[in-house]
Amino acid sequence: MTPQEKDRLVAEFATYAPHVDTALLDKAYDFSVRVHADQSRASGEHYFVHCQSVACSLVEWKMDLPTICAGLLHDTIEDTPTPQELLVAEFGEEITRLVLGVTKLDRLEYSSRDDVQAENWRKMLLATAQDIRVIIIKLADRLHNMKTLSFLSDEKRQRIAHETIALYAPLAHRLGMFQLKGELEDLSFRHLWPQEFADLESKVNALLATREVTLKQFKESVEQALASTDIAHRILSRTKSLYSIYGKMTRQDKPFEEIQDGLGVRIITDSVASCYALLGTVHTQFKPVAGSFTDYISIPKMNLYQSLHTTVMGPGGELVEIQIRTEDMHRTAEYGIAAHWRYKTGEHTKDTHLEEKLNWLRQWIEWLQDLKSPREFLDSLKTDLELNQVFVFTPAGDVKALPAGATPLDFAFAVHTDIGHACVGAHVNNKMVKLDYQLKSGDICKIQTKRGSMPKKDWLMYVKTARARSKIRHYLREKGIVA
Ligand code: MN
């Protein structure tokens, strides 16, 4: 917390928000240093180092000025005698609201008992649904706490690491913040299963070393093919998080050596047109694996993710998984929802689609309000966290994204609650199907309705989405059919 460190933070912010006055940021920095002056962390470091680190993450995610100020101030109400009124007077309502939001989350008692935990989480999500920035500050806070976990007692480390892997990493996933998710998982993994972590880390490093040659050859071939064009691009090699590899080993019950994992490469370029042009170049240069191509640019994933995916035979005969995307898509892929707060350099318009993009998250939280028991909430959280999805078409050609395993009932409720309620049957690709039929991508689903027909109790066994489940339950409860 030297003057240079403050200048660096402010300068970093100014690179993506040159038109924003940074006086308040400067003030929040000094204020936080002052009120935390006589506090230290378990590491022995000055307490403010924690606040600064939170602010640095928020700047890295290119968050707006109030969020970064709130990041600097996030522990002032909780851990210092600073009165709320003083924060309002010095920094205004918006920043104070964000700080209070984070403080409220801090006060939620954690219990290892699932039900209580889930209930707290539900409250937290509902309380903060108004402003997702509170959750993003909380995630930055958790990230730094995880990085400094080794200074705590064994029992505390286990508890915090468990909480992080069970709740915060899935939340980051849900928000599309994949880089953060991987980081939180690996930090937890290291503390929860130190031996396994160390083993896997050394094996992965050894493998990466052998793959470097293949990667270099691949890069050179792509460069060569592109030499005559002027398509801007950079190639990044993709490394999976250790925990995701460990998850694969456990799920498939196989040792590391038997896990088939292709070499991953990302090509980042300047425009959508360049993405397709690069895809063409790659496919002319290397033989694509049949059926491996997916176009998430024209049909983005539910969490806003966009990219072209393809797998080709590399120069040495190895399979190479390739993702091609623009810089913008890359930011969304790495930072998810946080990417949408970015200031557009040189543009004064706000992201007009932000509301639309956030809609799915708000809706999701809204559906959760209808779920009565914590167990139900936890289950739906788990289901909705699955990003595997199918795309199903209405007869009119509208596309609905649904989780894998979704049925015509899920589809009906996704189209409209009234259609869901009055559903009596379904046709998929012009054939009659049962209501528990599992929809596949590309299916055209037509719902048959009958006026006056109403939801049945056994429908609850056939639905996969939180939305359909909550609508059906709501109705059954109203009629007194279920408690
Ligand atoms: Mn904190």
Side-chain angles (χ1 to χ4, degrees), residues 202-466:
S202 68
K203 283 177 184 164
V204 167
N205 285 341
L207 181 70
L208 284 180
T210 67
R211 281 181 167 186
E212 224 151 276
V213 180
T214 316
L215 191 67
K216 199 163 156 272
Q217 285 176 342
F218 175 80
K219 275 187 182 172
E220 279 165 5
S221 320
V222 174
E223 299 295 345
Q224 241 169 39
L226 289 175
S228 57
T229 72
D230 54 358
I231 303 174
H233 70 281
R234 56 195 177 100
I235 301 177
L236 309 172
S237 52
R238 209 176 85 225
T239 41
K240 277 204 172 138
S241 79
L242 292 179
Y243 185 68
S244 70
I245 300 172
Y246 184 65
K248 211 168 174 180
M249 287 162 58
T250 336
R251 271 197 310 278
Q252 301 183 2
D253 194 20
K254 280 182 183 165
F256 176 71
E257 291 70 21
E258 284 173 36
I259 294 287
Q260 292 293 318
D261 235 343
L263 195 62
V265 167
R266 284 192 183 121
I267 310 180
I268 320 284
T269 184
D270 57 353
S271 68
V272 170
S274 297
C275 289
Y276 291 102
L278 278 167
L279 178 76
T281 307
V282 167
H283 277 183
T284 353
Q285 208 69 11
F286 308 103
K287 204 175 163 51
V289 173
S292 72
F293 174 64
T294 317
D295 184 345
Y296 289 118
I297 290 182
S298 47
I299 304 182
K301 286 198 197 182
M302 239 191 296
N303 61 354
L304 317 176
Y305 175 88
Q306 286 185 295
S307 266
L308 299 176
H309 287 193
T310 184
T311 302
V312 301
M313 196 85 92
E318 266 207 55
L319 293 186
V320 186
E321 296 171 18
I322 302 170
Q323 301 172 343
I324 304 172
R325 51 174 80 144
T326 65
E327 292 286 351
D328 246 25
M329 294 170 192
H330 186 53
R331 278 198 54 74
T332 301
E334 298 284 289
Y335 299 122
I337 216 149
H340 301 290
W341 264 278
R342 72 183 180 279
Y343 293 100
K344 288 202 170 158
T345 319
E347 275 176 50
H348 295 284
T349 48
K350 270 189 137 184
D351 185 345
T352 46
H353 297 294
L354 180 62
E355 283 310 304
E356 201 181 302
K357 287 169 180 166
L358 289 178
N359 235 357
W360 62 267
L361 185 69
R362 294 224 174 82
Q363 273 188 338
W364 179 64
I365 289 164
E366 212 175 275
W367 303 330
L368 295 179
Q369 309 207 31
D370 270 330
L371 302 176
K372 278 280 155 28
S373 83
R375 169 56 61 190
E376 252 180 85
F377 165 72
L378 201 64
D379 288 342
S380 86
L381 183 69
K382 279 178 189 150
T383 316
D384 278 349
L385 281 171
E386 290 293 333
L387 293 178
N388 287 334
Q389 55 190 337
V390 294
F391 297 100
V392 181
F393 294 85
T394 67
D398 285 343
V399 61
K400 300 283 168 201
L402 296 167
T407 62
L409 280 172
D410 291 299
F411 181 81
F413 279 98
V415 173
H416 198 279
T417 306
D418 291 344
I419 300 205
H421 276 164
C423 176
V424 288
H427 284 81
V428 168
N429 307 329
N430 291 324
K431 278 200 197 100
M432 179 112 105
V433 295
K434 289 195 196 155
L435 289 180
D436 63 356
Y437 169 86
Q438 297 205 346
L439 292 161
K440 291 187 296 295
S441 273
D443 278 345
I444 300 170
C445 184
K446 185 167 186 272
I447 300 296
Q448 263 183 303
T449 57
K450 199 171 137 198
R451 203 195 309 210
S453 180
M454 283 300 167
K456 316 281 181 293
K457 194 175 165 188
D458 59 359
W459 284 10
L460 290 172
M461 293 186 298
Y462 304 145
V463 294
K464 184 93 179 173
T465 56

Side-chain angles (χ1 to χ4, degrees), residues 93-126:
E93 294 284 350
E94 183 182 5
I95 292 173
T96 307
R97 251 200 329 272
L98 292 171
V99 173
L100 289 172
V102 179
T103 307
K104 204 154 61 178
L105 301 194
D106 278 344
R107 287 182 185 160
L108 289 176
E109 278 281 314
Y110 169 76
S111 158
S112 57
R113 276 169 42 228
D114 264 1
D115 284 359
V116 180
Q117 196 180 81
E119 181 62 19
N120 284 344
W121 267 68
R122 186 164 79 104
K123 279 191 202 136
M124 172 194 121
L125 287 166
L126 297 181

Side-chain angles (χ1 to χ4, degrees), residues 26-216:
D26 206 84
K27 188 173 160 189
Y29 194 100
D30 293 340
F31 185 94
S32 180
V33 169
R34 206 163 55 238
V35 298
H36 289 294
D38 49 6
Q39 293 174 322
S40 57
R41 300 264 295 174
S43 59
E45 277 183 316
H46 197 288
Y47 195 94
F48 178 74
V49 171
H50 168 65
C51 310
Q52 177 170 275
S53 167
V54 168
C56 283
S57 291
L58 296 169
V59 168
E60 192 196 323
W61 303 338
K62 295 192 168 55
M63 297 301 291
D64 62 6
L65 185 100
T67 311
I68 298 159
C69 290
L72 286 165
L73 300 166
H74 80 274
D75 278 330
T76 54
I77 298 238
E78 181 77 14
D79 296 331
T80 78
T82 308
Q84 187 179 329
E85 297 72 36
L86 182 62
L87 273 197
V88 176
E90 297 286 323
F91 300 102
E93 294 284 350
E94 183 182 5
I95 292 173
T96 307
R97 251 200 329 272
L98 292 171
V99 173
L100 289 172
V102 179
T103 307
K104 204 154 61 178
L105 301 194
D106 278 344
R107 287 182 185 160
L108 289 176
E109 278 281 314
Y110 169 76
S111 158
S112 57
R113 276 169 42 228
D114 264 1
D115 284 359
V116 180
Q117 196 180 81
E119 181 62 19
N120 284 344
W121 267 68
R122 186 164 79 104
K123 279 191 202 136
M124 172 194 121
L125 287 166
L126 297 181
T128 52
Q130 304 305 321
D131 203 329
I132 304 300
R133 292 177 299 178
V134 169
I135 296 185
I136 293 175
I137 298 169
K138 185 66 200 166
L139 286 167
D141 178 53
R142 177 53 57 127
L143 177 62
H144 186 251
N145 287 340
M146 286 304 298
K147 283 181 178 167
T148 50
L149 204 57
S150 47
F151 299 98
L152 300 183
S153 70
D154 249 23
E155 186 264 326
K156 258 190 163 170
R157 280 194 297 130
Q158 292 285 323
R159 178 175 69 71
I160 294 173
H162 174 76
E163 188 186 35
T164 301
I165 212 159
L167 297 168
Y168 284 92
L171 186 59
H173 186 164
R174 181 70 204 183
L175 297 178
M177 303 173 77
F178 292 104
Q179 195 191 51
L180 175 66
K181 176 205 176 224
E183 223 175 329
L184 288 175
E185 280 181 346
D186 279 0
L187 286 164
S188 310
F189 182 25
R190 181 190 294 270
H191 289 281
L192 290 172
W193 302 286
Q195 191 54 52
E196 287 85 345
F197 181 88
D199 275 3
L200 194 56
E201 192 179 36
S202 68
K203 283 177 184 164
V204 167
N205 285 341
L207 181 70
L208 284 180
T210 67
R211 281 181 167 186
E212 224 151 276
V213 180
T214 316
L215 191 67
K216 199 163 156 272

